[in-house]
Amino acid sequence: MSNLVTARLSEKNIGIVFGCFAPCHLGHFNTIMQAKRENDACIVVVCGQPGDRGEAVGLDLRRRFRYMRELFCRRREGSGYRIR
């Protein structure tokens, strides 16, 4: 499920936002956008495990990952994704 392209992140200030995003809400969105504004790049880590609170609301880890990728990423030429 990784979209990380490490060559593009070397020698940069990198923001990291870690969460379950079950579901992603306006507070999550604002935190991610702030990390993007304050750094050269931002990595969003979607966490989860079997039976976690995401599954309890119908959002398993793969679905949360896909939703976050669709919300914040755009496909670039070549491989990898980038937060808009």
Side-chain angles (χ1 to χ4, degrees), residues 2-82:
S2 175
N3 290 325
L4 185 61
V5 180
T6 55
R8 293 186 185 147
L9 297 178
S10 64
E11 298 184 24
K12 293 186 177 190
N13 292 320
I14 302 168
I16 299 174
V17 180
F18 182 89
C20 288
F21 308 106
C24 179
H25 53 70
L26 187 56
H28 291 129
F29 181 84
N30 289 335
T31 299
I32 292 166
M33 296 309 291
Q34 180 178 354
K36 180 187 177 288
R37 283 190 305 271
E38 294 177 0
N39 296 281
D40 299 318
C42 180
I43 297 171
V44 177
V45 180
V46 182
C47 69
Q49 60 186 9
D52 68 7
R53 66 181 171 186
E55 288 187 7
V57 296
L59 296 170
D60 64 18
L61 178 59
R62 288 188 182 278
R63 182 171 288 175
R64 294 191 311 260
F65 177 84
R66 188 178 78 232
Y67 289 165
M68 296 301 289
R69 184 179 59 206
E70 289 172 1
L71 182 61
F72 290 104
C73 297
R74 64 182 165 149
R75 190 77 171 143
R76 298 182 79 188
E77 259 184 58
S79 62
Y81 286 85
R82 186 180 109 162

